[in-house]
Amino acid sequence: MGLPDSEPVTFLIRALECENPFSGTSRHVLRDNEEVEIGRGEPTYRRLHGPAGPRLELSVPDRTMSARHAQLKRVGAGWTLRDLGSTNGTLLDGQRIEEAPLRDGQLIEIGATLLLFRETSATAPLLDRVLAMADSVALSTLSPSLDLAMARVERIAHSRLSVLVLGETGTGKEGIARAVHLRSKRTGPFVAVNAAAIPGPLLEAQLFGHVKGAFSGAVKDEIGFVRSAHGGTLFLDEIADLPASSQAALLRVLQNGEVTPVGSTRSVEVDVRIVAATHRDLNALMADGLFRRDLYARLAGFTHSMPPLVQRREDLGMLIGVLLARHAGGAVPTLRPEAARALFAYEFPLNVRELEQALAAALVLSAGEPIALQHLPEAIQGATSASLPLRSAASAPPEPRSAEDDRSYRALVQALQETRGNVSETARRMGKARQQIQRWLRRFELEPESFRGEDE
């Protein structure tokens, strides 16, 4: 059976209301529409049939927006954006326009509201969707490429299958694990463990527990993380960093539902669901004999890949609202449009984690005033430009490149940033041979020295 055919689809994302980032986001499919009119009013969207054919009216409670502010109109096979004589004007990619053709990925500013124009393809019929702040951010998306994947995670959560979550550092893998646990209805706790953060000699004792006297410092029995999650879910982040002996012990948990504490000869039954995650290439590790194939087979009952944030700009406004709420202490912060524009222009190489840190710092620096451009990190400030492509030329590897090249490039850049250009450490973190890293450096025209900073 072949893959389902994809169909071209055009849609408009109400991405962010700067004066109320908690208002949620929405996706409006323009399949049958001939025009879209956007203006100030009670929050609603209506599909009507006007003199020119099917039309969409989108109303936003934005006091800086005119009642009839702007219009999108189908012209041949494309779309055109036109200002309707508004008071504050209409901006496209940061530039004021009277009328201009639209391209995929362009950012539209109407008053203090940002909208994203998208032309892409979908393997299933794309529907209008409204996401409120109350929706689960981990499994919510307006991205067509993620729609089906998130729906599959929702369904799999109700099973007992182990789940393997793949993706770059900071993409929200733990959020997926927590969402799976909540939807599983398991009554036990959610226990999160970062395997890479536990020193090797202590790893098995902390994971599987130990008995008194098992080693120096073991002054009492400890049940360990696996038994702590009994009846619930154990999230094992950085699963690729488990040493061979720990991999064997974890395999026994998955196969037999039992764990043997360090220093004991008696196994203890345990009911735990495993959700594992890694940013490393497990196939390469298995090929090198560094990760057990039988453990992989048990862990990968269901596999979900989290894309980098730059590939899901449709969700950026939703994430901004959720992360601001997390750090605002009950207040409702606002953003200047130029600050919001910069956030949408930036590629976030460290993904959602970098976005959260930027917003948390901006809230402190703004001291209750609207978040402005100067409150954001310098790297994000520099992302403001007249053109906001889906990927900036400065951060893309030489063309042409495949999807696999793109993934390899982003993983390499992230590892180089984390290791400050140390090639050997980069190879270790990525689970690759040093020669492979050197080949990628030449292929993508990257210099390790550029990641080391001025003090090295």
Side-chain angles (χ1 to χ4, degrees), residues 419-436:
T419 65
R420 298 179 67 81
N422 185 312
V423 176
S424 297
E425 179 64 11
T426 295
R428 190 194 69 80
R429 292 199 182 196
M430 297 184 71
K432 301 290 184 182
R434 196 174 190 278
Q435 293 88 338
Q436 177 63 59

Side-chain angles (χ1 to χ4, degrees), residues 52-118:
R55 67 196 301 263
L56 169 69
E57 287 187 355
L58 181 60
S59 297
V60 183
D62 182 341
R63 61 187 178 85
T64 65
M65 190 182 291
S66 297
R68 294 182 69 246
H69 195 112
Q71 179 189 71
L72 280 71
K73 191 172 183 63
R74 190 189 296 271
V75 179
W79 286 81
T80 294
L81 173 65
R82 182 164 66 95
D83 184 77
L84 298 178
S86 66
T87 301
N88 294 322
T90 298
L91 278 69
L92 182 63
D93 287 344
Q95 301 297 307
R96 186 161 181 158
I97 59 100
E98 297 297 329
E99 186 170 339
L102 287 167
R103 302 188 310 275
D104 176 40
Q106 288 191 297
L107 192 68
I108 302 169
E109 290 179 49
I110 298 178
T113 298
L114 273 61
L115 304 106
L116 192 64
F117 179 80
R118 292 304 317 268

